[in-house]
Amino acid sequence: MSIPLSAPDITESDIEAVVDVLRTPRLSIGPRVVEFEQSMAEAAGVPYGIAVSSGTAALHLCLCALGIGEGDEVILPSFTFIAAGNAVLYQRAKPVFVDIERTTLNLDPGRLEEKITARTRAIIVVHTFGHPADLDPILDVARKHGLAVIEDACEAIGAQYRGRSVGGIGDLGVFGFYPNKPITTGEGGMVVTRHSHLAETIRALRNQGRRASDGWLEHSLLGYNYRLSEINCALGIAQMKRLGAILEAREAVAVRYAKEFQKIPEVTVPPLKIAGGRVCWFVFVIRLAARFTHADRDSICDQLTAQGIGCGRYFAPLHLQPLFAEYANSRDGLSLTEQVADRTLALPFFNSLTDEQITQVCRCLRGAIRDVSQRGVRACPAQSHS
Ligand SMILES: Cc1ncc(COP(=O)(O)O)c(C=O)c1O
């Protein structure tokens, strides 16, 4: 039995919602976009939502709307997905990487101020793997230096920080709906904000630079086609109606995994509970003990893959990517990022993952750990590949 890394949760009513749109003449710029935007804004506790074609597009438009451009610096963690770094480069701004903290693997607020210069304009805070970042001290630093805060909540829909929904706490928040996410629209993204002027600008930028008062062939701004179709939004609306149940199902999977890992001392699991907050279980990323190397982790990952078990090396730090080589000077103080990135492994994680599958993943993982510890290669005990 092969077990994928992730799997979308699509019900018959999701399918009906999509098919219903196909029976109408309105496939883009229609009522479903508006409804999906409203449901996301409401979930984030802010007045405005702007649906876009991806989480990456959402990040890009946030930086555009803030007027960030050449010569500006944007602070972000290196331990994240490439999208945030790319969005900074799209604007010809400079990414400045900051280290993470050990528990949640999010940007370390205590390391933030040392990265601020006269050119710093914004901070991108990522709620990594759905664990809320410690936003209050980050917001304090941002206010002190007059910086904008963008929350990259692409992995964290429904997560809570001190009783508030992530995405709606900073100046701008961003969600993503790729199929590995808890809520999917196939492809898609969303910006949420409480600032009307930013919402208006982002709305214009995603639609070829047309302001609300512009006609179809009038373009006030240099914009993009980052629109999300009615078809995608219909799926998003239907999925959002099940957000609570989806988050609960994923939390139950995380709890089951954590129980299994009590028997595997070489592995640290992510914290199940956050004081005053809630995790959105996007993925289940374990950390191998310090004695394991990058090569050990890769060997474990390769063995799991060979046994039909999906796994991911989350994340390869941005500052070590060839694309970001010229920003290598910001490598200073990224030692925890590098240590963690060498030893993290994402395991299969989706709503319908069964107890039996979890047991199988953990059995294979134990075998692979034993194997690298002995520096040999061995098959998973309970796995047949017919
Ligand atoms: C933290 C984070 N930010 C941004 C993105 C980009 O989202 P998309 O793939 O929809 O462009 C992702 C996607 O996986 C992500 O995990």
Side-chain angles (χ1 to χ4, degrees), residues 321-336:
Q321 303 284 341
L323 176 65
F324 292 99
E326 70 181 276
Y327 307 102
N329 59 345
S330 67
R331 183 170 187 168
D332 306 345
L334 294 171
S335 58
L336 192 59

Side-chain angles (χ1 to χ4, degrees), residues 7-18 177-179 181-186 235-236 238-239 242 246 351-352:
D9 175 353
I10 303 292
T11 62
E12 280 307 314
S13 54
D14 293 343
I15 294 168
E16 272 169 35
V18 169
F177 309 114
Y178 184 72
K181 301 293 188 293
I183 295 290
T184 187
T185 58
L235 181 55
Q239 290 251 305
R242 295 193 290 119
I246 287 173
N351 307 5
S352 57

Side-chain angles (χ1 to χ4, degrees), residues 13-249:
S13 54
D14 293 343
I15 294 168
E16 272 169 35
V18 169
V19 170
D20 283 351
V21 177
L22 294 173
R23 297 190 201 286
T24 75
R26 203 75 186 256
L27 301 187
S28 190
I29 318 182
R32 267 89 175 179
V33 176
V34 176
E35 189 179 339
F36 186 39
E37 290 176 343
Q38 282 168 349
S39 77
M40 287 300 303
E42 200 177 302
V46 293
Y48 307 105
I50 307 102
V52 292
S53 53
S54 69
T56 310
L59 285 164
H60 183 200
L61 292 191
C62 288
L63 295 174
C64 293
L66 291 168
I68 288 168
E70 194 153 7
D72 292 334
E73 294 181 4
V74 178
I75 297 180
L76 72 163
S78 169
F79 187 75
T80 190
F81 185 61
I82 195 83
N86 282 349
V88 176
L89 293 192
Y90 297 158
Q91 289 306 102
R92 299 184 183 280
K94 179 183 168 191
V96 176
F97 299 115
V98 66
D99 213 358
I100 51 173
E101 51 91 11
R102 203 172 285 277
T103 317
T104 63
L105 310 185
N106 286 317
L107 187 155
D108 182 347
R111 306 296 304 275
L112 196 52
E113 224 159 356
E114 68 197 59
K115 300 283 180 172
I116 294 174
T117 72
R119 292 175 171 267
T120 309
R121 296 281 317 280
I123 304 166
I124 301 178
V125 184
V126 185
H127 301 292
T128 307
F129 307 146
H131 283 67
D134 191 6
L135 274 170
D136 281 345
I138 296 171
L139 291 169
D140 285 347
V141 171
R143 273 188 216 111
K144 181 172 154 196
H145 295 271
L147 308 176
V149 172
I150 301 166
E151 289 178 71
D152 180 344
C154 282
E155 302 180 352
I157 189 164
Q160 301 252 317
Y161 172 74
R162 298 192 176 163
R164 290 169 289 167
S165 298
V166 305
I169 303 171
D171 294 294
L172 292 150
V174 162
F175 296 96
F177 309 114
Y178 184 72
N180 66 348
K181 301 293 188 293
I183 295 290
T184 187
T185 58
E187 294 282 357
M190 183 77 63
V191 181
V192 294
T193 183
R194 71 197 117 77
H195 300 296
S196 59
H197 65 287
L198 291 175
E200 273 167 35
T201 303
I202 290 169
R203 226 174 263 293
L205 289 170
R206 73 137 179 221
N207 189 21
Q208 302 288 17
R210 297 176 182 102
R211 291 241 179 236
S213 53
D214 287 339
W216 187 250
L217 294 177
E218 280 180 293
H219 308 271
S220 301
L221 302 170
L222 171 60
Y224 305 84
N225 178 0
Y226 282 168
R227 294 184 301 261
L228 190 63
S229 81
E230 288 282 290
I231 303 162
N232 300 98
C233 290
L235 181 55
I237 296 163
Q239 290 251 305
M240 279 300 283
K241 289 185 180 145
R242 295 193 290 119
L243 177 63
I246 287 173
L247 293 181
E248 274 171 29

